[in-house]
Structures are given as C-alpha cells and as structure tokens.
Amino acid sequence: YRLGDTTNARNYYTEASMSEDTRLKSIAYQQLGVMSKSPQTLEQALQYLKASIKADPSNRDARYDYEVVKKLLEKQQQEQQSGLDKLREQLAGSQKALRAAEDRYRTVQRDLHTREGRLESLQALQQAALEDQSVEDWLNSQGLSDAPRLTKIIDVDAGWEAAVEVALGHWLQSVMVEQGGDFSDGLAGLEQATLNLIEDQRGNIKPVKGSLAEKVKGPDTVLAWLNGVQVRETLEQAWADRGSLQGIE
C-alpha cells in the first residue's frame, strides 16, 4: 500500500480480513479503512474500522483511526447540511421573487384589460357623438330626450366594471325605454343613424351561477346577455377552463 500499489494491497487486505486470526483480521480491516479515507468513501472507511475494533478491541491504532474518520465524516455531513441550508434559502428567495414577479405580471395584465375596456367604451362614445343629429331629433320626437342610457342604470359589483365594459361594449350607450313602448311609426327617421333601445324589464331572468350576470343588477336583457359570460377570479383560471365553455358562452 505504501508503495502505491493500492489494487494489490486492497486485494491482500480483503483476503486477510477473512482470516481466523483475530489480530490479523483486525489489522486487515484497519488498513482497508485507512485506504478508504477519501471524502467519497468515509462511511465505508468507518465501517471497516468498526469491523477492525470488533475483531480486536485492543487495537488502539484502529480506535484512533476510527475517531479520526468519525470526525471527518461529521465535519463532511455538517458542511453538506450547511450547503443544503444555503440552497434552501436561495430557493426560498427565488420563489419569493417569482411570486412577486407573477403578482406584478397579473397587475399589469388587469390594468391592460381595464384600459382596453375603457378605450372601447370611449371609442363607442366618440362614435355615438359623431353620428347624425337625427338620433337626437328622433329621441326628442319620441319623448325620449331624457331617457337614461344603460350605463347609468346598471349596478356593477366592485372590481368587475372593466369586465362588464368589455362584455357590453357599445351596448352601454343603449337608450332605456319603458316596457311595451311602440316606436315603430318613427323608425323611418333612423335610416342613417345607429340607435339601440332596451326595454327596462326586470325580474324574469335570473343570473346563472358562475356568470358575469351575478355581478350585475340591471334589465333582463342585459342579464340574459351576461349569463353567457363565464367568470373566473384569475386569468390563469379563465385560461385553464376555456375548454369547458359550451354553446355561445
């Protein structure tokens, strides 16, 4: 072994460790333990030295080597544990940073959708303002000049305004009329204009569970439309459940 011929030395000591001579067996196991003192095989070295002491409890050199290897192994385990603790801390920090980034991403997404909804509503308002004066004239002629627009009479739960704006779009500027009103005689004056009328009828349509209609109080016509719009609390849930949509949802 001291000459560097570890292969033959190991074979020799392995054979000697099977001897009936307890002293020889102890020395053989001790040497195998000494040869196994590399960082990768400290546990094996400790087992060899245990066997050496068991074969000959009076082998003081084996006991000394055993204590040395035991301390090396304990130090190695402490260093490994310290390394694991540092890795766990790094992982926790990375996870925290990832969650923060995801939160910022969702916030930006919500802001984007809110702005898109408001832009669409603004564009609808601008388009309505550019239409022919005949709309205002017609409303005056029908006694509807003071009739409210849909956007003024619906009540939307906090946090869902942008979703309702996107879902209803230009319909938010619809003129509300009484149930049963007959305006057929005056419709001829609207050939060059766009005007939406909605009867203010309520109580016959119930919101479907899980739909956007649950977030709104308004005319039956609006609830019927919004019953076809499924809602989720997060964009991730909405994307994951898109495959379950049916019909015109």
Side-chain angles (χ1 to χ4, degrees):
Y1 170 62
R2 291 180 179 177
L3 296 176
D5 190 359
T6 56
T7 301
N8 286 330
R10 186 176 295 277
N11 291 337
Y12 171 77
Y13 289 130
T14 299
E15 183 178 351
S17 68
M18 295 181 286
S19 172
E20 296 295 331
D21 184 336
T22 57
R23 179 62 178 168
L24 178 60
K25 180 192 290 282
S26 178
I27 293 174
Y29 275 129
Q30 179 187 355
Q31 292 305 312
L32 287 170
V34 171
M35 293 174 64
S36 302
K37 282 174 59 177
S38 66
Q40 295 78 18
T41 57
L42 285 177
E43 291 185 3
Q44 185 181 28
L46 200 65
Q47 295 303 317
Y48 279 137
L49 292 168
K50 280 183 180 180
S52 175
I53 296 170
K54 183 178 180 181
D56 182 7
S58 66
N59 188 342
R60 293 182 179 181
D61 290 339
R63 289 184 181 276
Y64 174 80
D65 290 336
Y66 175 84
E67 292 300 325
V68 170
V69 172
K70 181 181 178 182
K71 290 180 180 179
L72 289 174
L73 185 59
E74 289 174 349
K75 182 180 179 181
Q76 184 184 75
Q77 291 173 340
Q78 289 174 354
E79 291 175 348
Q80 290 176 344
Q81 183 62 49
S82 177
L84 285 174
D85 292 340
K86 289 181 180 179
L87 287 175
R88 291 191 182 99
E89 290 178 4
Q90 293 175 357
L91 177 60
S94 298
Q95 290 174 332
K96 183 177 180 180
L98 177 60
R99 287 193 293 270
E102 290 174 343
D103 289 341
R104 290 194 297 270
Y105 172 73
R106 285 191 288 267
T107 298
V108 171
Q109 272 195 321
R110 286 194 295 269
D111 183 58
L112 174 61
H113 287 293
T114 298
R115 291 173 183 269
E116 288 176 341
R118 290 175 179 172
L119 176 60
E120 185 175 346
S121 297
L122 179 60
Q123 290 173 335
L125 288 171
Q126 291 174 334
Q127 181 63 32
L130 294 174
E131 288 191 354
D132 195 274
Q133 182 63 34
S134 60
V135 171
E136 294 299 326
D137 294 340
W138 186 88
L139 290 174
N140 288 330
S141 70
Q142 301 297 319
L144 298 174
S145 57
D146 295 326
R149 303 282 177 164
L150 174 60
T151 189
K152 297 294 185 181
I153 68 163
I154 61 172
D155 184 16
V156 182
D157 290 353
W160 292 94
E161 298 88 346
V164 172
E165 287 182 4
V166 172
L168 295 180
H170 70 277
W171 291 100
L172 287 170
Q173 299 308 312
S174 300
V175 176
M176 303 305 302
V177 298
E178 294 181 0
Q179 182 179 351
D182 185 6
F183 304 99
S184 57
D185 293 340
L187 293 179
L190 292 175
E191 292 89 348
Q192 304 301 320
T194 300
L195 177 64
N196 300 310
L197 303 177
I198 296 179
E199 285 189 339
D200 196 1
Q201 179 178 346
R202 305 179 186 229
N204 295 324
I205 301 295
K206 301 298 181 183
V208 173
K209 185 176 181 180
S211 71
L212 189 55
E214 283 191 312
K215 312 298 182 182
V216 174
K217 295 181 180 63
D220 286 348
T221 300
V222 173
L223 296 184
W225 290 339
L226 299 183
N227 272 338
V229 181
Q230 292 292 308
V231 298
R232 297 294 184 270
E233 292 297 330
T234 66
L235 292 174
E236 290 79 4
Q237 291 176 345
W239 181 257
D241 294 344
R242 70 191 188 283
S244 64
L245 297 177
Q246 300 178 356
I248 60 172
E249 292 182 337

